[in-house]
Amino acid sequence: MSDSHNSNDEPQKPQTTLSDIAKAHSFNDMRNVLKTEPCAREGLLYGMGVGTTVAVLRVFKGRSLVSAGNWGIVAFGLVAVVAKKLCHFQYAHQSAKLNTLFEMQPKKVPNVKGFQHSDPAKDDDTE
């Protein structure tokens, strides 16, 4: 008797391949992500730049192309994630500063036709 964890009664899940993913997503989907996500473009550009630089430097140092490519991909992923997170932090910080500035501004009443603005300083002088 053999103890097998993979019995024939359980259905096998089909493996997802890169071609399946490519068919499910179009190039326009990626464009929409880059337009709607404020920091995606910046993170990807920094990641591509650093990943390419790391791969090229590894090749110049005499490493194999596979090793250089692996280092480049890892550098791309790490830098892209960190750059995106830093961009989000800066975006949130800037947004908070702007909200604080807007809250500090005095409220202005729109000039509506037929509406008389009362000046509290003038009202106090007449008493």
Side-chain angles (χ1 to χ4, degrees):
M1 290 191 192
S2 68
D3 289 330
S4 176
H5 294 288
N6 194 3
S7 67
N8 292 337
D9 297 338
E10 296 177 17
Q12 295 291 325
K13 291 183 180 179
Q15 289 187 348
T16 305
T17 62
L18 288 177
S19 62
D20 294 337
I21 295 170
K23 290 175 187 174
H25 301 287
S26 68
F27 184 70
N28 288 332
D29 291 341
M30 186 62 175
R31 276 187 167 176
N32 291 338
V33 167
L34 291 177
K35 287 180 182 176
T36 58
E37 182 68 31
C39 297
R41 183 175 187 268
E42 182 177 332
L44 288 173
L45 287 173
Y46 277 121
M48 284 187 278
V50 171
T52 302
T53 303
V54 167
V56 168
L57 289 175
R58 299 269 307 169
V59 168
F60 284 155
K61 287 182 78 173
R63 308 291 188 205
S64 70
L65 287 176
V66 173
S67 173
N70 287 340
W71 277 86
I73 290 170
V74 169
F76 162 75
L78 290 175
V79 169
V81 168
V82 170
K84 185 173 185 253
K85 291 294 182 186
L86 284 174
C87 177
H88 274 290
F89 173 74
Q90 290 172 342
Y91 190 76
H93 183 68
Q94 183 180 14
S95 178
K97 283 174 59 176
L98 284 174
N99 285 338
T100 304
L101 285 174
F102 284 135
E103 289 172 358
M104 290 174 50
Q105 293 292 323
K107 302 286 185 198
K108 292 186 178 180
V109 178
N111 191 6
V112 178
K113 193 174 190 179
F115 181 75
Q116 294 287 334
H117 294 287
S118 63
D119 190 4
K122 288 183 182 178
D123 291 341
D124 290 341
D125 291 339
T126 58
E127 293 178 10

